[in-house]
Amino acid sequence: GIGAAIARAYARERPGTRLVLVARNRRNLRAVAAECARLDPRGEAAVFVCDTADEAAVARLAGIMAAKKTADL
């Protein structure tokens, strides 16, 4: 999807970017993270399974990300 395409573009064009990948499907997330790692060995891609239609799940994810404060995108 568009999120995966954006992640790949950042990995390719902005070396060292710390990405946060969010989707419902863990397998797809891991595949995109692996591709980003191949495109940018210096970058990072954190993977979070989350249904963005679930308000409580999004709130939990927001709390996790606020505590980490380590993502560029």
Side-chain angles (χ1 to χ4, degrees), residues 35-47:
E35 187 173 356
C36 288
R38 183 184 60 75
L39 292 168
D40 178 15
R42 290 186 359 210
E44 299 174 26
V47 172

Side-chain angles (χ1 to χ4, degrees), residues 23-42:
R24 293 176 298 200
N25 185 299
R26 183 180 309 276
R27 191 166 134 214
N28 291 349
L29 282 170
R30 287 184 177 162
V32 173
E35 187 173 356
C36 288
R38 183 184 60 75
L39 292 168
D40 178 15
R42 290 186 359 210

Side-chain angles (χ1 to χ4, degrees), residues 4-73:
I6 291 169
R8 287 183 198 104
Y10 267 83
R12 188 172 39 254
E13 298 171 18
R14 295 191 170 256
T17 298
R18 295 169 295 176
L19 301 169
V20 175
L21 307 178
V22 179
R24 293 176 298 200
N25 185 299
R26 183 180 309 276
R27 191 166 134 214
N28 291 349
L29 282 170
R30 287 184 177 162
V32 173
E35 187 173 356
C36 288
R38 183 184 60 75
L39 292 168
D40 178 15
R42 290 186 359 210
E44 299 174 26
V47 172
F48 293 95
V49 176
C50 179
D51 182 352
T52 58
D54 179 344
E55 191 173 325
V58 172
R60 285 190 299 274
L61 177 60
I64 292 167
M65 293 312 303
K68 290 185 181 278
K69 298 180 185 174
T70 59
D72 296 315
L73 178 71

